[in-house]
Each structure stands twice: as structure tokens, then as C-alpha cells.
Amino acid sequence: MTELAIGIDGGGTSCRAAVADRNGKIIGRGKSGPANILSDLENSLLNIVESARQALRDAGIAAETISSVAAVVGVAGANVTDYGQRIEKALPFAEGRVVTDALIALQGALGDADGIVGAFGTGSVYNARKDGRLSGIGGWGFVVGDQASGARLGRDLMERSLLAHDGVRPGSPITGAVMAEYGNDPERIVEFAHSARPTDFARYAPMVFEHATRGDAVAVGIVTDAATAIGESLEALLWPGCPSICLLGGLAGAYEPWLSRYRPLLAKPKNDALHGAVELAVKLLTDPQRGAA
Amino acid sequence: MTELAIGIDGGGTSCRAAVADRNGKIIGRGKSGPANILSDLENSLLNIVESARQALRDAGIAAETISSVAAVVGVAGANVTDYGQRIEKALPFAEGRVVTDALIALQGALGDADGIVGAFGTGSVYNARKDGRLSGIGGWGFVVGDQASGARLGRDLMERSLLAHDGVRPGSPITGAVMAEYGNDPERIVEFAHSARPTDFARYAPMVFEHATRGDAVAVGIVTDAATAIGESLEALLWPGCPSICLLGGLAGAYEPWLSRYRPLLAKPKNDALHGAVELAVKLLTDPQRGAA
């Protein structure tokens, strides 16, 4: 095995890789297509490997070196049945581990410290490391979970706009804006909702926060419900002496003012998920027994 | 035009028809395949006509008579863009009107009286007739509406079962039963939820009511939320002097004990939706100007 470690953040829109030396110093970066292992295992594998090759090329290292490096891949779905192991077996690295996207995000945010990480983007999910042990909750998707996700904020906005249209609940500027966008035709909202993917609903999340900040009663109600859900999940994970809570994802900054109760614990993430993957890969290089634990 | 009136209840699983004389006396009945005009206009038309033919045959009347009767068809989607008109044009009756399934249900339940009708099955929708004028709210589908539908009860049950599994909210016998059904594997619930249609979620509605009746805290929470939503919608429609509220649909009886606030107004429906269609068809026969208004 060479003295190189590759960390890979395998995401639904792209795979990003970074190659580091034994001390964790990043010397090259690569990027390729998406990794959606649950829906397209084969192309995910190709993209994961391609991002690693590009990182080596970027560092001026021969591509064949890939077979003698240590690598850690973080990817959503790695914990679903045997998907993680199937990828692990097919990887060309001397030593390769496949872990969840949540784990590399937590490692990036907290480093080796204990703490809690809540990620808020299209979905929402929580992970904790306590006495070095990991646990996670949430992330069950927006149909029956992800209560604080952008997708749920958008779906709630559509629902409350229809209730306002029907005169069942009071309207507000934001419900008026939504109805106007759909030509004041509830059927068009229903049509949108029935074909909308989580990302389609999540596009309304910034609008919800904007109106909530201005005091729009309906928007405040939506965000307050989501913040209450965040509080419930944090309480389920929190323990006396928990050193910090990191909020990650595109909506982290927007939620912060609504989580004042947790302000003393809120901390900026140390690094991003890709960096977390690199850290775990360096551990794998220097201590294969403990690596990527 | 002959002195015959045909009412047709065009439903998502079957079309039912009844032929009546000028006085509303039913003399024949027919049944055929489903009418889903928004997804399959052509076959819906065939089934609507076939149910009418069968009703005539059942009454011992020649099928060709169909071209000289007055008929009213109640079908979901009749008010969406021009679907209703398109069917009306294609119908073979001497005089034919296409109205919403909600209108024939209201006519059946209230007769010619004023009042409110709430229908609770896989979906949920409310209609009122005040001073002879119709208005309706709800029925926007379970993704962003139908707050008191069987589909929402089932979806809520899945969501609360996952929250209990994660330790975010307290569990109860019903969440334990759901988790056991899915091998205590939240991934399997997520898998179910992402491919489940409204009817799949709605299958859990009876279970929710059973547990709620026994005092299960989570089930009581789900039903209470739904009953609160019903109350909000009724309040939006109610007026001083409203003579009655009829609850219709498969969940009507289950909801009744949870709507004690409205008990003085609750009344049994006079007839079913098919009978409502017949009544409207008779009006069309006897007073084409006012028929099916």
C-alpha cells in the first residue's frame, strides 16, 4: 500500500474525491457523475472510481496507483441491506470502506469529537457521536418523515395555501403569492403536488423562510412546526455534557434563528463531508483496524 | 323524449345506473366498469353508457330507448376544465347532464333541502347547499389536502410509528403493531410509503379508529387531529340556521363519536348518491330548465 488516502463524497448529483498524504494534506481533487447506489449501482461504481482517478491525476500521480491506496467512500444507502458491501467488494483500492453519507458529514463537521449533527436540505436527518459511538435518527423521506426538510416546508406551504383558498384557515401574503403563481386555480396546485418530487417542493423553502422572517403568520406557523420537530429530534439525541450541535445543509443558516433554545450548543462545522471522508481514509491508512469506525 | 329518467353514479371502481319513471320510481338497475374520466375518458364513456343500457334492459325496455331518455351522470372530475362538457357532448341521451360526484351525493343525502355533506373515505371533501346554492371545499388529494381522509390517517400512522421507532415521540400499542408488521425495519415502512397509493394508506384507517377507541395515545392523537380538521372545514361552511350535517363515506360512522360538538346537527343521509342522480334526472325530465342545477 502506498502512503496515499482518498476520500470520496458520493452524492446524488456528483461524486467528489480528494487524495491526501499520510498527514491528511490534500494534494489533488476530482469530480465525476452521481452516485445513487440504490437506483443505479453500476454507474455509481464507475463514477466513484472515476472521481478517485481524477483526484490522482490532479495530484500528478499515475492512475494505476489507485490499486494501492486506502479509500473511504461516503454514500447514501450504504447501510441499506448489502449495498455497501457490494460496492466495497467491487472497489479497486488496496483498502476500501463504504460508509454512509451521514458518517462522512459527521466526521467533517465534528472531527473526532462527540456531538450532534443535523442536516437540513431537501431531506432532514440527525446523527450523533457519543463516547465515540454513532447513532442516527430521521431521514425517512418526505412522505412519512423528514419533518424539517425543505420538501416538507414546501408541501406544507401548498397544503396551507389550499386551506386558505377554501376559507378553512386564514390566508396571508405567502398563501396569496402561491395561489397567484398557480393562477388562483387550486386544481393546478393539486396537479403540481401529485407529480412533484421532493426537490420540487423544496424549491419553496427559501420563500417560506423569507416570509417567516417578515412575520407572515402562515409562514411563521410552518417554520415553527418544523423547528419544533427539530427540537424533538435533538432532545431524543441530546445528553448532559454534549459538547456541540452542528447544523448542516442548505437550510442550516435559515433555521438557526428559530432554534434559539439551542444557541449555546450550536457550533459551526469544522469541515465539509468530503474532508470527513479524507479524514476517515487517513485513519484507514494509518490504523486499518480502527479506520472508518 | 320518453317519460324515463336515468341516474348514473360513475365511480372509480364501477358505474351504477338506475332508470326511473316520471315520479322517480326506480324500475331497473344496471352496473358496468369504472369511470375515471381524467385518466381514461374513452372507457369511462363506454362504461357510463353501458350501465344505462343495462338498467333499461333490467326494466324490460328496448336499449334503443336510450336516445330518448333524460339522464344525469355524477362523476369525479366533471368540474375539471372541460371534461364534463366533453362527456356531455358524447352522450347518447335525449337530454344529458354531467355533474360532479359530490353533487349527486349531496342530492341523495339532503334531497332538496339545505345542509352540509362531509364525505370521508380514501379522500375527504365537503359540500354545502345554502339557499339552494352549492359550494364545496376540500378534496384536493392526500398529498396536500384531504386532512380527514383514510389515506391521511394511514400516512400519519406510518409517520408516528417511525417517530416512535426513533425515540422522538412516545410509542404505543399501535406504533408497536405497525413496526412489528414491518419486521421492526423502518426501511421497509419507507419502501411501502414511497410506492403506496392513497388506498394503500387508507387500509390502516380502521386500525387507527380501533386503537383510538381503546384509548391508544398515538391513535387518539391521529384521530383528534383529523377531527379538528373536520371541525375547521365545517366551521368554514356552517351558517346560522343550517338544518343538518350528513357524514358520508366508509369512515362516517367511525368519525361520528369524535364530532360530538356537532351532534345536534348530525343527520343520517336520506339516500345514496345513485338515488341523488336519479332525483336530478327526474328534475331534468320534468323541468329541463331547472334540472340538475
Side-chain angles (χ1 to χ4, degrees), chain A residues 57-232:
Chain A
R57 204 174 304 141
D58 186 45
I61 297 165
E64 308 86 67
T65 317
I66 199 166
S67 62
S68 61
V69 303
V72 168
V73 182
V75 66
N79 54 341
V80 175
T81 64
D82 63 343
Y83 280 90
Q85 287 105 298
R86 281 160 73 184
I87 293 191
E88 229 163 67
K89 274 186 197 150
L91 288 176
F93 311 114
E95 190 85 45
R97 295 279 165 84
V98 176
V99 300
T100 63
D101 53 339
L103 176 57
I104 63 169
L106 181 133
Q107 182 69 35
L110 304 178
D112 291 333
D114 279 355
I116 295 173
V117 166
F120 308 100
T122 301
S124 67
V125 63
Y126 308 83
N127 283 280
R129 191 198 274 133
K130 180 185 175 188
D131 301 329
R133 291 181 61 174
L134 298 165
S135 60
I137 59 175
W140 304 124
F142 97 115
V143 178
V144 289
D146 287 15
Q147 286 82 8
S149 65
R152 283 289 287 260
L153 293 174
R155 192 179 79 181
D156 275 9
L157 176 60
M158 296 297 139
E159 181 162 352
R160 299 195 195 209
S161 298
L162 289 171
L163 286 168
H165 171 84
D166 276 346
V168 174
R169 297 263 195 95
S172 72
I174 197 172
T175 64
V178 168
M179 290 311 302
E181 185 186 335
Y182 288 87
N184 280 304
D185 182 356
E187 291 286 353
R188 282 184 53 198
I189 294 187
V190 172
E191 208 175 306
F192 162 78
H194 280 259
S195 61
R197 294 158 303 167
T199 48
D200 298 321
F201 281 116
R203 271 188 217 113
Y204 288 91
M207 180 185 179
V208 173
F209 280 109
E210 274 164 38
H211 280 78
T213 303
R214 274 184 252 143
D216 181 285
V218 172
V220 167
I222 294 170
V223 174
T224 303
D225 282 358
T228 301
I230 294 175
E232 287 176 347

